[in-house]
Amino acid sequence: LGRAAMTFLHEAALRMLGLNNDVSQFESRHAAFVARRRGLRLPNLPTGFDALAWGIIGQQINVKFAGSLRRDLILLAGDKVGDMRAHPTPERVADLTIAKLHARRYSRSKAKYLIGASQAVASGALDLESLPRGSAVAAEKNLTALHGIGTWTARYVMMRAGFADSAPVGDSALAAALQKLHKLEARPDHEQAAKLLAAFAPQVVVSATYPGASSQVV
């Protein structure tokens, strides 16, 4: 393997183990909350495209069915490596047809969104792998500009692609967890969930007050 391949594998391993984000500041600020979970990290996906495909596939269906659809996509377009198959590249998915995915239980709209997003990545219109190195606000804007990508999908993709602060507001499991954590009578809606999650967002400390001053996320 060459240097580029080794670098990619190293970064992919760090993502999959959740070691690409520092959790020490979060644990310091929320010591009681993480008392029994110190060191717990969110595993990410090895590539941004893997996260994007998984996010679109998982829209409005249960996890078991989503996993089955993802497996079908990998078997259909993934490269064979020994006895296994790798996740398909954006180019391979972009070349699929809606009819071919529909024949494998994809809804026509889901197939259209997945192929369209893959074409945007394959053409270079969306530099997906570079998004985590930039602004979360800009990343969400770029993702939601794609047809079929709403706030939930964009934030899910960002969360699994390596952004340290990207909660998929609107997720039913997340709402249920917030209800249990805060002992609420009913599940919080989008606005309530966003307010409750704000307490866990990183703090930004501005080092100077003049225009263009640098800031640090802690």
Side-chain angles (χ1 to χ4, degrees):
L1 293 176
R3 178 173 295 183
M6 289 299 296
T7 298
F8 169 79
L9 291 173
H10 176 72
E11 291 179 352
L14 291 177
R15 284 186 174 193
M16 294 171 71
L17 294 171
L19 297 174
N20 54 330
N21 281 317
D22 179 18
V23 298
S24 59
Q25 293 286 351
F26 182 88
E27 291 185 337
S28 296
R29 289 179 55 211
H30 305 284
F33 180 71
V34 301
R36 295 186 299 169
R37 306 174 183 86
R38 291 190 66 83
L40 180 64
R41 294 171 179 272
L42 175 70
N44 300 146
L45 292 170
T47 68
F49 181 67
D50 194 339
L52 178 62
W54 188 217
I56 294 173
I57 290 171
Q59 289 174 344
Q60 300 180 330
I61 58 176
N62 62 55
V63 175
K64 183 177 181 179
F65 185 39
S68 179
L69 292 183
R70 183 172 184 266
R71 177 181 175 82
D72 285 347
L73 178 69
I74 292 171
L75 291 174
L76 179 65
D79 289 326
K80 198 166 191 248
V81 182
D83 295 329
M84 300 181 290
R85 283 190 181 272
H87 190 279
T89 63
E91 292 76 14
R92 292 291 296 274
V93 180
D95 285 340
L96 296 176
T97 63
I98 293 175
K100 190 169 284 189
L101 287 174
H102 185 59
R104 288 164 175 77
R105 301 174 299 158
Y106 280 71
S107 68
R108 292 189 181 279
S109 58
K110 190 182 294 291
K112 181 179 180 181
Y113 300 156
L114 179 59
I115 292 171
S118 301
Q119 290 172 343
V121 177
S123 68
L126 175 64
D127 186 2
L128 191 58
E129 305 306 328
S130 295
L131 290 184
R133 294 192 285 272
S135 159
V137 174
E140 184 172 335
K141 183 178 180 180
N142 286 329
L143 287 168
T144 54
L146 297 174
H147 187 51
I149 306 294
T151 301
W152 179 89
T153 306
R155 293 189 179 180
Y156 177 85
V157 171
M158 292 163 63
M159 179 180 71
R160 299 306 300 275
F163 279 91
D165 180 35
S166 181
V169 173
D171 186 88
S172 59
L174 178 59
L178 288 170
Q179 180 185 6
K180 181 178 180 181
L181 176 64
H182 294 281
K183 298 179 174 58
L184 304 175
E185 292 184 3
R187 288 189 182 184
D189 58 20
H190 286 51
E191 185 176 347
Q192 291 171 319
K195 289 180 179 178
L196 292 171
L197 288 166
F200 299 102
Q203 294 179 339
V204 179
V205 178
V206 179
S207 59
T209 57
Y210 56 84
S214 62
S215 60
Q216 180 180 11
V217 176
V218 298

